Amino acid sequence: MIRANTPIPVAGPWITEREIEYVSEAARTAWFKDHYTFNARFEKAFSEYVGVKPAVSLPHCTAAIHLSLAAGGIGPGDEVIVPDVTWIASVAPVVYVGATPIFADIKKDTWCIDPSSVKAAITDRTKAIIGVDLYGSMADWVELRRIADQHGLLLVEDSAEALGSEYAGKKAGALGDTGVFSFHGSKTVTTGEGGMLVTNDDHLHQRVMALRDHGRPPGDKLFLNTEIGFKYKMSALQAAFGLAQIERADELIFRKREIFRWYKEELENVDGISLNAEPQGTRNSYWMVTIIVDPLIGMDKFSLMDALGKRNIDTRPFFSPLSTLPAFSDYPHSSAHMPERPVGIEISKYGVNLPSGYHVDRETVEIVAGALKEILAEAR
Ligand SMILES: *Cc1c(COP(=O)(O)O)cnc(C)c1O
């Protein structure tokens, strides 16, 4: 039986001396008048990388989504169309602002929100769409933009999992009215915990800046708060870490793509497995290498994870549809117009994220792929 000698984690960062030096420098210098120096450098480098100005550093991506909706004036009585299959952080902020999430289906190839399902979900209460670039895949942004413009909706691009992916020559995060990113320890670029919001929209930017600092307009030195806001800031230590990481973005994304290529070489000829897609006109930064197993093999994601776990290989389940989770059982309206979400419900039963962190080398991939082939052969 193929089994890893030491446990293989599912995710993990790539840290160099550069990160450690910058954080040490921040610990010594980023105080008083220099308290924002590293944040400003990180924001500038980040906005140059994504191609959207300005960028605002935040404590996490959840805050970036919350601020996008609050700055866009979304509130009680409004509906926000979201993909049914995503991490809950994409959707919880809809509830924070008092609006109702409406679940749309995802597409079979990219696993991102399906524009035709979005269209079917629109009512006269719809105020925004949150598209998610899932596992590094790009959503159908031309179509989402067309729908948003036609109905006057705010378009939020959740690129937490897609830093460095591209769509029609633009970087992930550059396709919505706001683009939001996460630097959680599992993500492509990390600061431990952290987030970023980018927008070209002046009005949204001004609102974000006031709302993220307890309702202080930018430049306020007299503590004359003009409204009740939130407190969403990234520390200088995290920003120093993030600056080092974003300076290394090309190297990080190159490695992510290499890890995917290794898995693809091992798995593409295995019957009954499909991998992340990279449709024409897109570039996938492959945050998590993900397999969907053919239902005919008769192994759902949890039994596959269990079998891999016994061989010392850690994995994650494909996100379960939010509409099926206890957390949303009190939101029947969220599924009411959209009783049918067959694609997400089916795919999410059979999807597993394989070890995709920066610790993964060619040999790790051979062990994981070998174990997977054995397990599926036994199940057939
Ligand atoms: C990680 C993630 C988030 C949330 O990021 P945090 O920094 O943990 O708040 C949001 N959306 C998606 C799709 C994510 O994967």
Side-chain angles (χ1 to χ4, degrees):
M1 178 170 106
I2 297 176
R3 187 170 183 280
N5 293 330
T6 46
I8 302 174
V10 69
W14 180 4
I15 310 303
T16 63
E17 281 306 307
R18 188 191 297 238
E19 283 79 0
I20 294 162
E21 275 166 30
Y22 286 11
V23 174
S24 309
E25 192 187 333
R28 279 191 290 268
T29 65
W31 306 101
F32 306 113
K33 71 175 193 347
D34 293 327
H35 74 279
Y36 208 75
T37 306
F38 275 100
N39 296 72
R41 286 174 67 191
F42 182 30
E43 289 169 352
K44 179 162 181 289
F46 193 89
S47 81
E48 282 168 8
Y49 182 78
V50 175
V52 180
K53 233 159 98 169
V56 184
S57 53
L58 297 167
H60 35 71
C61 180
T62 307
I65 300 170
H66 187 187
L67 288 169
S68 297
L69 297 172
I74 312 299
D78 297 340
E79 292 178 351
V80 178
I81 300 172
V82 299
D84 193 16
V85 179
T86 180
W87 175 229
I88 194 169
S90 307
V91 177
V94 175
V95 177
Y96 301 169
V97 299
T100 304
I102 302 293
F103 298 122
D105 206 355
I106 58 171
K107 290 179 68 171
K108 206 169 174 161
D109 56 346
T110 60
W111 314 323
C112 295
I113 195 165
D114 184 344
S116 65
S117 186
V118 171
K119 270 189 245 169
I122 287 179
T123 70
D124 49 14
R125 294 180 153 204
T126 308
K127 291 285 153 49
I129 302 169
I130 300 176
V132 181
D133 298 324
L134 206 73
Y135 301 128
S137 280
M138 295 301 290
D140 209 337
W141 288 104
V142 165
E143 198 52 22
L144 292 175
R145 170 57 69 195
R146 213 181 51 71
I147 298 167
D149 287 352
Q150 190 183 350
H151 297 272
L153 310 176
L154 177 76
L155 186 58
V156 177
E157 181 178 7
D158 181 349
S159 303
E161 302 179 0
L163 183 87
S165 292
E166 292 174 19
Y167 177 96
K170 286 191 170 182
K171 285 260 167 47
L175 296 139
D177 296 316
T178 66
V180 300
F181 296 87
S182 171
F183 309 124
H184 175 260
S186 68
K187 298 286 165 52
T188 299
V189 156
T190 186
T191 60
E193 294 279 2
M196 192 74 86
L197 181 153
V198 298
T199 181
N200 282 316
D201 183 308
D202 244 13
H203 172 72
L204 287 175
H205 179 238
Q206 291 304 313
R207 292 294 300 136
V208 164
M209 294 308 279
L211 286 168
R212 69 100 159 228
D213 192 15
H214 281 312
R216 293 171 69 192
D220 166 57
K221 296 221 159 50
L222 304 175
F223 303 135
L224 296 172
N225 312 62
T226 53
E227 64 191 300
I228 309 283
F230 314 104
K231 175 63 194 294
Y232 283 151
K233 291 202 172 176
M234 172 183 272
S235 78
L237 303 177
Q238 292 165 297
F241 203 107
L243 176 64
Q245 287 260 296
I246 201 73
E247 286 177 355
R248 298 177 50 230
D250 288 343
E251 161 178 89
L252 292 169
I253 281 136
F254 182 86
R255 177 62 62 84
K256 281 286 189 193
R257 289 180 59 83
E258 194 170 40
I259 292 169
F260 180 79
R261 186 165 51 74
W262 293 332
Y263 275 113
K264 192 170 171 194
E265 284 169 17
E266 296 291 329
L267 295 174
E268 70 184 336
N269 297 321
V270 180
D271 265 357
I273 289 184
S274 48
L275 288 157
N276 312 55
E278 190 177 54
Q280 269 240 312
T282 69
R283 181 172 187 262
N284 195 327
S285 60
Y286 299 118
W287 172 53
M288 285 251 167
V289 178
T290 302
I291 53 166
I292 310 291
V293 176
D294 188 331
L296 291 176
I297 293 177
M299 262 198 132
D300 70 4
K301 60 183 173 186
F302 297 122
S303 49
L304 184 54
M305 287 175 66
D306 198 46
L308 286 164
K310 290 198 174 98
R311 293 156 184 258
N312 246 345
I313 298 165
D314 191 27
T315 53
R316 281 189 183 183
F318 205 95
F319 297 124
S320 294
L322 295 169
S323 59
T324 66
L325 298 182
F328 286 97
S329 58
D330 292 340
Y331 292 81
H333 182 64
S334 295
S335 310
H337 331 302
M338 300 296 302
E340 298 280 309
R341 285 177 303 284
V343 178
I345 285 171
E346 182 74 3
I347 287 176
S348 63
K349 278 185 204 151
Y350 300 102
V352 171
N353 309 126
L354 301 179
S356 309
Y358 294 101
H359 56 285
V360 169
D361 57 13
R362 181 89 219 200
E363 195 195 336
T364 315
V365 170
E366 281 165 17
I367 294 168
V368 175
L372 200 56
K373 286 183 224 175
E374 269 186 13
I375 292 164
L376 295 181
E378 278 165 27
R380 269 179 225 269

